[in-house]
Amino acid sequence: MAKRITEAEIARQYDFMDEAAAINADLAAGGRRRAFIRTFGCQQNEADSEILAGMVSRMGYDLCDGVAGADLVLINTCAVREHAESRALSLTGRVKAEKKKNPDLIIGLCGCMVTQSHISEDIKKKFTYVDILFGTSELWRFPEILLERLKTGERVIEPGIGSRGIVAEGLPQIRADKYRVWINVMYGCNNFCSYCVVPYVRGRERSRLREDVLRELEEAVKAGARDITLLGQNVNSYGRGLYDDYGFADLLRDAAKIEGDFKLRFMTSHPKDLTPALIAELGSNPKLARALHLPLQSGSDRILKRMNRGYTRDTYLSLVKAVREVVPDIALTTDIIVGFPGETEEDFSETLDILRLARFDNIYSFIYSKRRGTKAADMPQIPYPVKSERYTRLTDLQAEIELEFNRGFEGKILEVLVEGKSKTDDTRLTGRTDRGKAVHFEGPDCIIGSTAHVRIVRSETYALYGELIPSD
Ligand code: 5AD
Ligand code: SF4
């Protein structure tokens, strides 16, 4: 069940923030202290870090973009794969060195990884220089946790309970990007795919009230948001357990009534819950970007069953067909796991086969990573070299498909939302089409944040290059 944090409880957190700000102002002799937040993992974690940023700012810290010189370092961790966990721990080790220079530095770990009890126990014992630790269910109490540390100088370890389904509204937030924003609609997951740790670290499914989502959306649009992703581990379950007959398709319809020039996307949709109503909405809702992320995970029925996904390759392909009937040029993206326990060469070739049939715009591919406490962790594992070799074959095939795909854009004029200067070449601007393709082109800075038309002259596997078409 969802536990909705009351306004009074949130107000108390604001008091803690003000008290912490006063302490920090003293310590900084009237100036501001500095905080660095590093985020691992998915958009859900990015969204949480935006709330952390809002809270630390209110507590008297300016955000900085590195560990050097920081008074507070927060590492928001991910547990979905071992690789993300090792990266977070290695960063934690590097921050320790910084603490030698500045003994007052507060080091905090939070997020999915530390919500697992075996990890939080380990950190408690072996990473004694970590000052505060709090799990996903305690994020809203971060002001209280940090204040306690500031006042007592003691370690505060609150891993929380992964299954505790918290919904907290009204916390401060600083968005990382003005134009592309995330808005949560629901949290947690009830699906228990056999490989996945998310239900254990993010708790059961619960939805935000529709008025809270719509209000946040309206405010974001007023503040200039142009590309809005509605977030949830399984957005298609929006409203379950909260409303009798109001679901995600209804929320999208209400969201589209908000005035302004913006596009809506959503992620993640579970194929087993992609309803005809939602597919119809994709075709009729004027605010929806022509894009859908629909995680497949494997093309083999045998593996899908072992993964507990609740659909077959044929149902998946018929969903793709239905979606493309409604929106023929929809940008379809997916997630694939290779090397799931028991995956044979034949199973894997069925995944490759689906890539050829469905022709995704883009895939997010992962080597299966064994997660403690999940069902798949007890199944016979595949040796790493086999997994890694399959991974290369998968990404090579997709690169071929994408290049072919991108070639098809050459000579065409595409509409892009100009996001800013190109990260690799500052003489160029970068924009994104509503299919999510990155487009690089030369143009004046004053068009950043607006929509531009660009003629594509060259394509590569992962990007398009073009010339700006003057607007008048
Ligand atoms: N190993 C590898 N990939 C995983 N994912 C989730 N759990 C694991 C795991 N144990 C992938 C899935 C999911 C994406 C967010 O991460 O493809 O859709
Ligand atoms: Fe996101 Fe899942 Fe990683 Fe948590 S474990 S940060 S929910 S991908």
Side-chain angles (χ1 to χ4, degrees):
M1 264 321 278
K3 176 171 165 29
R4 288 176 203 277
I5 308 300
T6 63
E7 277 181 34
E9 282 174 291
I10 297 292
R12 263 182 74 228
Q13 297 301 319
Y14 273 86
D15 291 343
F16 295 139
M17 285 187 251
D18 293 345
E19 205 180 323
I23 294 177
N24 278 327
D26 271 355
L27 289 168
R32 303 229 337 140
R33 304 189 89 198
R34 286 152 62 88
F36 172 59
I37 303 176
R38 173 74 165 89
T39 312
F40 291 93
C42 65
Q43 283 91 347
Q44 176 59 62
N45 249 23
E46 299 282 349
D48 283 351
S49 284
E50 293 185 346
I51 293 180
L52 286 170
M55 299 197 280
V56 298
S57 166
R58 203 164 160 129
M59 284 189 272
Y61 297 90
D62 282 334
L63 292 171
C64 55
D65 49 17
V67 172
D71 301 294
L72 168 68
V73 172
L74 284 178
I75 304 175
N76 192 1
T77 62
C78 169
V80 88
R81 281 170 293 274
E82 191 180 344
H83 183 59
E85 293 194 339
S86 359
R87 282 172 65 213
L89 288 181
S90 99
L91 174 62
T92 313
R94 273 180 279 137
V95 187
K96 182 186 176 193
E98 201 58 30
K99 198 160 177 159
K100 291 221 172 81
K101 289 185 228 155
N102 173 12
D104 290 336
L105 169 64
I106 297 179
I107 304 178
L109 287 188
C110 60
C112 295
M113 176 179 168
V114 305
T115 308
Q116 305 168 98
S117 56
H118 68 282
I119 301 267
S120 58
E121 281 304 315
D122 226 35
I123 289 171
K124 207 160 125 185
K125 282 195 216 110
K126 297 191 196 140
F127 293 67
T128 46
Y129 55 92
V130 169
D131 304 291
I132 55 179
L133 179 152
F134 53 100
T136 53
S137 64
E138 311 309 300
L139 182 111
W140 67 281
R141 292 181 49 239
F142 168 64
E144 183 178 346
I145 290 169
L146 183 67
L147 178 64
E148 190 180 331
R149 164 71 204 188
L150 286 170
K151 286 203 325 207
T152 65
E154 301 286 325
R155 298 179 87 190
V156 189
I157 309 280
E158 304 234 7
I161 308 167
S163 58
R164 196 165 164 221
I166 298 292
V167 181
E169 297 291 344
L171 293 165
Q173 176 187 40
I174 295 180
R175 294 194 192 278
D177 193 297
K178 187 173 157 202
Y179 309 118
R180 282 161 68 82
V181 311
W182 326 113
I183 295 183
N184 265 114
V185 302
M186 50 88 64
Y187 308 94
C189 180
N190 288 355
N191 290 323
F192 290 94
C193 300
S194 62
Y195 50 80
C196 189
V197 79
V198 169
Y200 306 95
V201 293
R202 288 264 174 203
R204 292 298 75 72
E205 272 175 17
R206 66 266 179 203
S207 299
R208 291 179 71 191
L209 299 176
R210 59 187 161 203
E211 57 270 31
D212 288 330
V213 175
L214 293 169
R215 188 184 319 113
E216 184 174 345
L217 190 56
E218 204 165 346
E219 282 167 7
V221 171
K222 275 202 195 113
R226 301 289 309 276
D227 191 306
I228 299 168
T229 304
L230 301 180
L231 277 186
Q233 248 78 40
N234 183 15
V235 287
N236 305 341
S237 336
Y238 177 78
R240 236 177 249 171
L242 179 63
Y243 302 117
D244 286 338
D245 55 0
Y246 188 91
F248 190 56
D250 303 291
L251 184 69
L252 288 174
R253 223 163 4 243
D254 281 341
K257 290 181 196 145
I258 292 172
E259 263 179 51
D261 182 12
F262 66 94
K263 281 276 179 232
L264 282 174
R265 307 169 191 278
F266 52 87
M267 71 188 304
T268 297
S269 298
H270 194 304
K272 81 175 164 50
D273 300 319
L274 185 67
T275 56
L278 193 52
I279 296 179
E281 200 56 30
L282 276 170
S284 60
N285 189 317
K287 293 286 197 222
L288 278 180
R290 289 164 303 153
L292 180 68
H293 183 66
L294 197 62
L296 166 67
Q297 313 299 4
S298 167
S300 147
D301 283 346
R302 209 177 62 84
I303 295 296
L304 286 171
K305 192 144 197 240
R306 287 163 71 91
M307 288 178 162
N308 190 29
R309 289 290 288 172
Y311 55 85
T312 63
R313 90 185 248 121
D314 281 351
T315 29
Y316 186 91
L317 284 170
S318 43
L319 282 174
V320 169
K321 189 160 170 268
V323 166
R324 284 190 169 141
E325 262 160 25
V326 177
V327 188
D329 63 344
I330 197 156
L332 201 62
T333 52
T334 200
D335 290 346
I336 305 277
I337 297 178
V338 297
F340 180 84
E343 183 189 72
T344 62
E345 183 55 33
E346 199 183 333
D347 294 319
F348 176 63
S349 67
E350 291 193 66
T351 302
L352 294 180
D353 189 45
I354 286 215
L355 253 49
R356 293 188 197 98
L357 288 172
R359 301 182 70 74
F360 297 104
D361 271 58
N362 193 358
I363 65 169
Y364 299 87
S365 37
F366 308 103
I367 292 180
Y368 168 75
S369 170
K370 184 174 160 180
R371 305 285 69 207
R372 190 159 150 168
T374 61
K375 271 217 171 112
D378 298 330
M379 300 178 187
Q381 306 287 311
I382 301 228
Y384 189 79
V386 176
K387 295 200 273 191
S388 150
E389 191 267 340
R390 285 184 192 159
Y391 179 80
T392 310
R393 274 195 281 155
L394 182 88
T395 47
D396 284 354
L397 171 62
Q398 181 61 19
E400 263 172 49
I401 294 171
E402 274 179 52
L403 184 59
E404 236 175 80
F405 213 81
N406 284 352
R407 292 251 156 88
F409 290 113
E410 287 178 10
K412 295 216 166 108
I413 295 175
L414 301 182
E415 193 180 273
V416 302
L417 167 61
V418 189
E419 289 179 349
K421 284 197 183 297
S422 155
K423 288 205 180 88
T424 49
D425 172 358
D426 69 4
T427 64
R428 286 204 175 109
L429 298 175
T430 295
R432 226 167 255 279
T433 67
D434 75 346
R435 303 178 65 106
K437 290 263 170 218
V439 180
H440 307 288
F441 57 99
E442 280 175 21
D445 288 0
C446 61
I447 63 171
I448 293 173
S450 60
T451 308
H453 289 90
V454 178
R455 177 181 293 110
I456 305 303
V457 293
R458 188 162 66 82
S459 60
E460 288 180 3
T461 310
Y462 300 112
L464 300 170
Y465 295 84
E467 294 163 349
L468 179 66
I469 312 267
S471 53
D472 355 272

